[in-house]
Amino acid sequence: MSEPFSVPVTVRGYETDVQGHLNQSVYLNYAEHARWSLLRAAGISQSALIGSGVGPVALETTIRYRRELLAGDEVEVTCLFAWGEGKTFRIEQTVRKTDGTVAAEITAVGGLLDLKARKLVPGPQEYFRKLASDPGLFGL
């Protein structure tokens, strides 16, 4: 996949803090929205994941705030999965204003939890490949 998946978001006034910029916790909501939007676009529903006995888990998240966002700002939130060996994967995300200004960079480490054993499954990309109607959106 040449371009990361992205979703548009407009900053709402109630998401801002006393300084008038986007509250820090809302960046996590935007990132989560983009990740679930990617899963849906690839043909994976939450019920399909649960039905296959796994659920996504966040193991680590780092946010680098670059420029403030204000109510009414329109942004694109990207989502790119990076696969390695083992039980975890990385998700690289960028929150970018429509003028190209990067507002935040979000890096997460995730995995798929076996819902019965309560342990990470090996090779999570194989679950995504099997469940997705368009695994190319995950770079698979």
Side-chain angles (χ1 to χ4, degrees):
M1 186 169 96
S2 59
E3 293 291 319
F5 180 85
S6 69
V7 294
V9 176
T10 301
V11 176
R12 295 166 288 257
Y14 63 82
E15 296 173 324
T16 60
D17 60 19
V18 71
Q19 287 87 264
H21 59 243
L22 188 64
N23 182 281
Q24 62 182 350
S25 66
V26 180
Y27 287 88
L28 294 172
N29 291 332
Y30 288 3
E32 185 80 358
H33 173 65
R35 290 192 297 265
W36 280 106
S37 294
L38 170 55
L39 265 66
R40 279 193 310 277
I44 301 176
S45 67
Q46 195 171 23
S47 60
L49 278 169
I50 292 167
S52 68
V54 297
V57 291
L59 302 170
E60 176 183 314
T61 303
T62 303
I63 304 172
R64 174 169 282 171
Y65 304 100
R66 304 286 302 273
R67 296 287 183 272
E68 69 180 351
L69 291 175
L70 306 173
D73 282 346
E74 295 181 12
V75 298
E76 289 286 326
V77 184
T78 66
C79 188
L80 180 68
F81 278 64
W83 305 100
E85 300 296 320
K87 298 178 180 182
T88 64
F89 50 86
R90 294 177 63 81
I91 305 171
E92 302 290 336
Q93 296 183 264
T94 303
V95 179
R96 183 177 285 111
K97 294 168 85 169
T98 55
D99 68 3
T101 302
V102 174
E105 297 165 328
I106 302 163
T107 304
V109 176
L112 285 179
L113 185 70
D114 179 311
L115 297 175
K116 288 185 181 173
R118 308 309 285 180
K119 294 183 184 251
L120 293 178
V121 300
Q125 64 270 35
E126 295 310 318
Y127 284 83
F128 284 100
R129 189 186 324 270
K130 179 181 168 190
L131 291 168
S133 58
D134 186 358
L137 289 174
F138 296 106
L140 299 172

